[in-house]
Amino acid sequence: MSAVIATSFLALGGPLVTAQAAGGPNIALGDPAAAGSALPEYGAANVTDGNQGTYWQSSGSSLPQWVQTDLGTSTRVDEVVLKLPAGWESRNQTLSVQGSADGTSFSTLKGSATYTFSPGAGNTVTVAFPAAQTRFVRVDITANTGWSAAQLSELEVHAADGTSANLAAGRTLTASSHTEVYAAGNANDGNKATYWESRNNELPQWLRADLGSSVRVDRVVLRLPDNWGARSQTLKVQGSANGTDFTDLTASKAYEFAPPARTP
């Protein structure tokens, strides 16, 4: 799967993305999470923190209970990977996977079934389902043989095959400078008519996205408003794990930005 950062630029000359070698992109990594209930020390945010050792646990002893993540934008997905801490004893949890466009009305992506979390399999369960467009992904747990509550340490969400995930959607953008109302946030607001513009006559300048956690990326998509005339911009893409120390992901190069072809 390709991870895509889609943004709209006027001038770019510096850091853009963070990167880390990994297996395919978990598009829920670092995203907001919520739950029907949680013990104070085992909150919902633990399921998207990338750490299998931390976990969410529902409060009380009544089931069903649910935990969900907000992907920030509607995305075509076809798989979730669920984890418990690697050292835990084997247990079964009965659960379903649900999706929603608005966080209120949910539909079933995968019907209820019982899954075994086993130390021999890394206490990891993969749940595949027909590709569906959704923003919120919820796991609803109705039974747990290992404890009288619902438990998950990670809720990974994977984009459907052939679909690229825009990992910068809804993320915080910062820039070295901006002019008037053309601020950094315009570059990932989903509106191709808005844009970031650096302070005039001062290059190089940079724009960067904080993806929330280190993830694997292999492509960036840069856009300008469709009705602008053709131009060339010289730029490079850099990555950082801490937002301070950057390395070059690409060499500096001139790129042509041309308006879309018009059909008669």
Side-chain angles (χ1 to χ4, degrees), residues 20 56 61 89 121 123 129 140 144 177 190 200 228 232 255 257:
Q20 172 184 312
W56 160 73
S61 57
E89 295 178 353
N123 274 334
F129 45 84
D140 186 67
N144 182 359
S177 72
N200 291 337
W228 284 17
S232 174
Y255 294 86
F257 292 78

Side-chain angles (χ1 to χ4, degrees), residues 34-62:
S37 72
L39 293 176
E41 63 271 41
Y42 305 118
N46 288 343
V47 302
T48 57
D49 66 358
N51 181 357
Q52 191 174 354
T54 64
Y55 61 94
W56 160 73
Q57 181 170 307
S58 63
S59 62
S61 57
S62 64

Side-chain angles (χ1 to χ4, degrees), residues 3-91:
V4 178
I5 312 298
T7 47
S8 305
F9 296 101
L10 178 59
L12 174 68
L16 175 63
V17 296
T18 60
Q20 172 184 312
N26 167 20
I27 62 173
L29 187 63
D31 284 344
S37 72
L39 293 176
E41 63 271 41
Y42 305 118
N46 288 343
V47 302
T48 57
D49 66 358
N51 181 357
Q52 191 174 354
T54 64
Y55 61 94
W56 160 73
Q57 181 170 307
S58 63
S59 62
S61 57
S62 64
L63 292 172
Q65 296 284 341
W66 58 264
V67 65
Q68 71 185 37
T69 183
D70 178 359
L71 302 178
T73 187
S74 182
T75 306
R76 190 167 178 261
V77 301
D78 65 358
E79 182 181 87
V80 297
V81 175
L82 310 177
K83 296 179 180 179
L84 291 175
W88 282 17
E89 295 178 353
S90 181
R91 68 201 61 204

Side-chain angles (χ1 to χ4, degrees), residues 12 21 23-24 30 36 42 110 123 130 150 173 180 182 185 207 213 216 246:
L12 174 68
Y42 305 118
K110 182 72 173 183
N123 274 334
L173 298 189
E180 299 175 352
Y182 308 115
L207 176 69
S213 300
R216 184 183 179 187
F246 286 85

